[in-house]
C-alpha cells in the first residue's frame, strides 16, 4: 500500500499543495477541470495503483473555490463534510429536483447526489487544521454567476460553504474503488455575480500551501 493521493483541477493548485509538503508518501497530480474529467482521471490513477499492488490509502480533492458570503471568508480553509453534485437532477416548475428524488431505482442512482467524507480522514484533517471551516462543498459544472443562482443554492444547501467543480467526481471514483475520500478547499472569491476584481487568487493559493501541511 502506498500513501495519499491528492488531486487538483489545474497545475497551479498542484504546485501550491506541493509547496506545503515534504513527504514522498503523498502524490499530488492535476486531473482536469470539472467532475467528469476529474472523476475519470482519478479512477484511472486508483486502478493503476491497485493493479501495481500499491493502492492508495486515501484520496483528497484539493484546490480553490468560491465561498458563500456569511458562511466563509476569502482566504479561509474549508473541509468538506460531504461533496454534493449540486446540479445533478432535473428542473421543474416547482424548482430543482435532486437526482435522489427522481424515483430512480437504487442501482441506477449509484452514490446519489452526495458522497460523505471518510470520517477517519476528515477527523485527522480537522485535528491538523483546527481553524478550518467545515461544511458541504458543492460540485457544479457551471459556476454560479448571478445573485438569483447563489440564493437558490444557499437555500437548497443550508450547510454548504464552498462551490467548486471537481470534488463529487473524485468522490465517486474513490467510493467505487473503496478508498477513503476527503475534500479540502481554500476560498478565492465570494459566490455571486462575477467580479474578477473581488478574486484573491494569491491569498487562496497561499492558504492552500499552508493547509497542505495537514496532508503529510
Amino acid at each position: 500500500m502506498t500513501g495519499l493521493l491528492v488531486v487538483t483541477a489545474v497545475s497551479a493548485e498542484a504546485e501550491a499543495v506541493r509547496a506545503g509538503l515534504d513527504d514522498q508518501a503523498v502524490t499530488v497530480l492535476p486531473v482536469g477541470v470539472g467532475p467528469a474529467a476529474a472523476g475519470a482521471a482519478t479512477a484511472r490513477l486508483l486502478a493503476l495503483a491497485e493493479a501495481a499492488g500499491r493502492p492508495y490509502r486515501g484520496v483528497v480533492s484539493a484546490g480553490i473555490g468560491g465561498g458563500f458570503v456569511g458562511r466563509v471568508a476569502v482566504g479561509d480553509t474549508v473541509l468538506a463534510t460531504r461533496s454534493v453534485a449540486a446540479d445533478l437532477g432535473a428542473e421543474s416548475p416547482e424548482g430543482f429536483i435532486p437526482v435522489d428524488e427522481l424515483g430512480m431505482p437504487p442501482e441506477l442512482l449509484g452514490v446519489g447526489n452526495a458522497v460523505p467524507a471518510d470520517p477517519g480522514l476528515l477527523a485527522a484533517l480537522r485535528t491538523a487544521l483546527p481553524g478550518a471551516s467545515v461544511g458541504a462543498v458543492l460540485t457544479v459544472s457551471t459556476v454560479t454567476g448571478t445573485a438569483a443562482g447563489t440564493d437558490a443554492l444557499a437555500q437548497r444547501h443550508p450547510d454548504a460553504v464552498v462551490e467548486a467543480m471537481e470534488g463529487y467526481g473524485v468522490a465517486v471514483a474513490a467510493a467505487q474503488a473503496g478508498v477513503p475520500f476527503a475534500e479540502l478547499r481554500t476560498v478565492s472569491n465570494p459566490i455571486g455575480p462575477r467580479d474578477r476584481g473581488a478574486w484573491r487568487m494569491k491569498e487562496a493559493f497561499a492558504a492552500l500551501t499552508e493547509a497542505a501541511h495537514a496532508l503529510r
Side-chain angles (χ1 to χ4, degrees):
M1 183 173 285
T2 189
L4 190 68
L5 173 63
V6 180
V7 296
T8 68
V10 298
S11 296
E13 292 169 320
E15 291 167 5
V17 172
R18 292 189 191 109
L21 286 172
D22 183 18
D23 190 340
Q24 298 300 315
V26 180
T27 300
V28 185
L29 293 169
V31 291
V33 175
T42 301
R44 180 175 182 273
L45 291 170
L46 294 176
L48 289 173
E50 184 175 3
R54 294 175 58 82
Y56 288 104
R57 294 178 182 177
V59 182
V60 175
S61 176
I64 64 176
F68 283 90
V69 176
R71 300 180 184 179
V72 291
V74 171
D76 280 0
T77 297
V78 169
L79 297 170
T81 53
R82 58 195 184 110
S83 297
V84 182
D87 51 13
L88 180 61
E91 291 185 340
S92 79
E94 291 74 34
F96 180 78
I97 305 173
V99 72
D100 290 347
E101 299 175 16
L102 291 178
M104 295 182 183
E107 63 271 17
L108 296 182
L109 280 177
V111 296
N113 270 86
V115 180
D118 176 77
L121 188 51
L122 177 58
L125 290 172
R126 292 188 70 173
T127 298
L129 296 169
S133 298
V134 180
V137 174
L138 308 184
T139 299
V140 295
S141 295
T142 301
V143 173
T144 305
T146 66
T150 303
D151 290 344
L153 278 182
Q155 290 177 22
R156 289 207 308 267
H157 304 282
D159 62 334
V161 286
V162 163
E163 172 188 272
M165 300 184 76
E166 293 79 32
Y168 177 80
V170 177
V172 171
Q176 293 191 353
V179 177
F181 164 82
E183 184 169 3
L184 183 157
R185 296 281 169 181
T186 57
V187 181
S188 58
N189 58 279
I191 298 172
R194 289 179 66 79
D195 176 10
R196 293 296 295 267
W199 293 11
R200 298 292 181 266
M201 306 293 284
K202 182 178 180 180
E203 290 86 342
F205 283 131
L208 190 58
T209 296
E210 178 63 26
H213 77 270
L215 303 173
R216 296 172 183 170

